[in-house]
Amino acid sequence: MAVAQLDLKREYNHFRIEIDRALAKVLKSGHFILGEEVRALEEEVAAYCGAAYGIGVSSGTDALYLTLRALGIGPGDEVILPSFTFVATAEAVAYCGATPFFVDVDLQTYNLDPNKIEDALTPRTKAIIPVHLFGLPAPMESLRELAKRYSLLLIEDAAQAFGAIYKEKRVGSLGDAACFSFFPTKNLNAYGDGGMVVTSREEVKERIKALRGHGSRERYIHREIGYNSRLDEIQAAILRVKLPHIDCLNEKRREVAYSYSQALQGVVKVPMEPLGSYHVYHQYTIGTKVRDRLREHLERQGIDCQVYYPVPLHWQEPFKGCPKGDMEGTERASQEVLSLPIHPFLSSKEVEEVIEGVLSFF
Ligand SMILES: Cc1ncc(COP(=O)(O)O)c(C=O)c1O
C-alpha cells in the first residue's frame, strides 16, 4: 500500500459540506477582494494567537516581506536568520535590499541556536527572524532576551507552526510580528496561496495594510509605492471553515507523531519536544546517517518521504556571498534529515506501514 506525505483530497472530503457552503456564499455575494470573510478571518486568527491584529496577505513570503518593510528594514541592514529553512525567509530579507546573516541551528531541534547569535551581531544588525521549523517553536525566551539587550526587532516566521505553543503562549504573539503561510500543505491551509501577519503593534498593522493595497490608506490616495498582496475572499472563507478545527487537526498530527516516536526511538533520531513547547508536527522529521539509503528503501515500498532541506541557504547561488557563522549543525542536518508522511487523515494502518518500513530497513 502506498502512503502519501499529505492527502488534500481526504481533507476536502472531510470538510466538503461546510466548504462547499462557504464557497457558494462568497460566489453569491459577488464580493471577492477584502470583504467580510477576510475581515472576520483577520480578527479570528489574531484572537486565536493572542495578538491584537491580523492582516491577510497573498502568501507567507509576502507576509515576511511586508512585515520587514513595515518595520523599516532596508539597504545597509543585516537580519539574522537560520540557513536551515525554506528559501522564502531569506528572500524576504533580500527583497528589502537588506543582507541575510545566517546563523546555525541546534541539531537537537533544528531551530536557531541562540548561543551562536552574539557572534553574528554587527552595528548593522536590525532584526532576528526565528523560524518555528517543522512546527516546533524556536527558543523564544533566549531570543527575546537577546533582542531586548541589543535593541533588535524579532519577527517570527511561523509559516510551519500554526497553533504551536511556547510556554503557554501561541506562536504569533511572541515577537514584534509573526508571519503565517496558508499554502495548501500547511497545518492551516487554503486551496491556493495565502498568508497573514499577526501583530499587536498598531502602526505596523496600519503600514502593512497600506503596503498590501498599493500604498493606499485612503481610496486613490497613494503616499508610497505599495503592492497588490491581498488575501482573497474565497481563500479566507475556506480558512474560516478549518480554523475552528485546527486544534483537533493538530492533535491528530501529534497522535501520529507519538506512534512514530514510540516505535522509532533508539533506531533513528526522533523529533524532540522541549519542556513548555507544544509541537504541531507540520513535518515529522527523523535524523539518521544512512538517510539516503533509508529514503530509497521507503520509496521502493511506496512510502513517500521528503528531505527538508537538502541544500542549506548559505550554499544556494543567490546567498553564497552572505555573511554567516559556523554552520556545523545546519550542514549535518541537511545530510541526515528525512520527513515521514504526516497529516491528520493518516490511518492507523498507514502509520503501521511507515513504522514497519523504517524498522525493516534497520
Ligand atoms: C518557513 C517558511 N517560511 C516561509 C514560507 C513561505 O510561505 P508561502 O509559500 O505561503 O509564500 C514557507 C512555506 O512555503 C515556509 O515553510
Side-chain angles (χ1 to χ4, degrees):
M1 186 173 71
V3 186
Q5 269 268 327
L6 180 66
D7 193 332
L8 292 177
K9 286 187 204 157
R10 272 188 222 175
E11 188 207 67
Y12 171 61
N13 279 332
H14 182 80
F15 289 117
R16 190 165 54 82
I17 295 172
E18 280 184 87
I19 286 180
D20 288 357
R21 196 183 296 140
L23 285 176
K25 189 172 157 217
V26 175
L27 295 175
K28 283 183 196 155
S29 78
H31 201 147
F32 301 110
I33 302 291
L34 296 187
E36 181 51 30
E37 297 292 337
V38 171
R39 196 199 54 71
L41 180 73
E42 289 174 340
E43 272 184 26
E44 288 159 6
V45 169
Y48 178 87
C49 293
Y53 311 106
I55 310 103
V57 295
S58 60
S59 67
T61 307
D62 274 16
L64 285 162
Y65 171 53
L66 298 182
T67 299
L68 292 169
R69 281 285 313 272
L71 289 168
I73 303 296
D77 295 338
E78 284 175 4
V79 177
I80 288 176
L81 73 160
S83 170
F84 193 60
T85 175
F86 183 61
V87 66
T89 322
E91 279 178 322
V93 176
Y95 294 157
C96 296
T99 303
F101 196 125
F102 295 114
V103 168
D104 206 10
V105 292
D106 173 352
L107 202 52
Q108 296 309 309
T109 62
Y110 304 120
N111 273 329
L112 208 48
D113 185 345
N115 298 318
K116 294 190 175 174
I117 287 183
E118 275 177 313
D119 287 345
L121 298 176
T122 77
R124 294 176 293 284
T125 313
K126 290 282 155 37
I128 307 175
I129 311 182
V131 178
H132 305 309
L133 201 74
F134 304 144
L136 176 69
M140 294 303 288
E141 204 163 74
S142 315
L143 295 171
R144 277 163 83 156
E145 268 168 34
L146 283 165
K148 194 162 170 219
R149 188 172 331 138
Y150 296 103
S151 303
L152 304 173
L153 294 160
L154 193 56
I155 300 146
E156 297 172 73
D157 181 339
Q160 301 187 2
F162 197 98
I165 298 172
Y166 179 82
K167 305 208 167 161
E168 293 172 15
K169 288 180 88 180
R170 293 259 181 223
V171 305
S173 62
L174 305 169
D176 291 278
C179 301
F180 290 101
S181 163
F182 300 134
F183 187 76
T185 59
K186 297 297 191 278
N187 290 33
L188 179 66
N189 55 342
Y191 291 155
D193 278 306
M196 190 168 290
V197 182
V198 169
T199 182
S200 291
R201 291 182 53 178
E202 193 182 358
E203 78 289 5
V204 176
K205 180 256 297 182
E206 289 299 330
R207 182 97 196 275
I208 295 174
K209 274 189 146 182
L211 286 170
R212 80 173 168 187
H214 302 285
S216 166
R217 292 179 194 225
E218 288 161 70
R219 214 163 177 214
Y220 298 121
I221 307 295
H222 307 275
R223 296 195 197 281
E224 63 180 326
I225 301 287
Y227 307 87
N228 177 352
S229 180
R230 300 169 298 223
L231 181 65
D232 68 64
E233 286 287 287
I234 286 187
Q235 299 305 339
I238 292 167
L239 289 160
R240 289 190 68 212
V241 168
K242 297 184 202 172
L243 180 61
H245 303 283
I246 188 67
D247 290 344
C248 175
L249 296 170
N250 281 338
E251 267 302 308
K252 288 195 170 146
R253 287 175 181 268
R254 287 174 58 84
E255 281 166 23
V256 174
Y258 182 76
S259 302
Y260 282 164
S261 290
Q262 286 290 98
L264 302 179
Q265 205 142 27
V267 178
V268 293
K269 189 167 104 192
V270 298
M272 78 175 290
E273 187 178 55
L275 210 64
S277 291
Y278 180 86
H279 195 322
V280 291
Y281 295 97
H282 172 58
Q283 299 295 342
Y284 183 91
T285 302
I286 58 170
T288 167
K289 289 201 166 65
V290 289
R291 188 265 313 277
D292 292 334
R293 284 198 291 128
L294 173 62
R295 185 183 190 182
E296 281 164 28
H297 174 82
L298 292 173
E299 282 179 351
R300 267 198 302 276
Q301 295 170 64
I303 297 169
D304 188 14
C305 38
Q306 300 291 329
V307 175
Y308 305 111
Y309 297 91
V311 183
L313 297 185
H314 67 281
W315 284 345
Q316 302 278 359
E317 205 54 47
F319 300 112
K320 274 185 182 161
C322 289
K324 60 178 186 346
D326 91 76
M327 287 287 140
E328 212 183 311
T330 302
E331 289 171 13
R332 266 191 62 189
S334 67
Q335 281 154 24
E336 73 172 36
V337 290
L338 188 65
S339 297
L340 302 180
I342 192 161
H343 61 81
F345 302 95
L346 213 56
S347 69
S348 44
K349 194 152 173 279
E350 287 171 315
V351 172
E352 277 309 308
E353 192 132 333
V354 175
I355 290 170
E356 273 163 33
V358 176
L359 295 179
S360 67
F361 174 81
F362 289 98

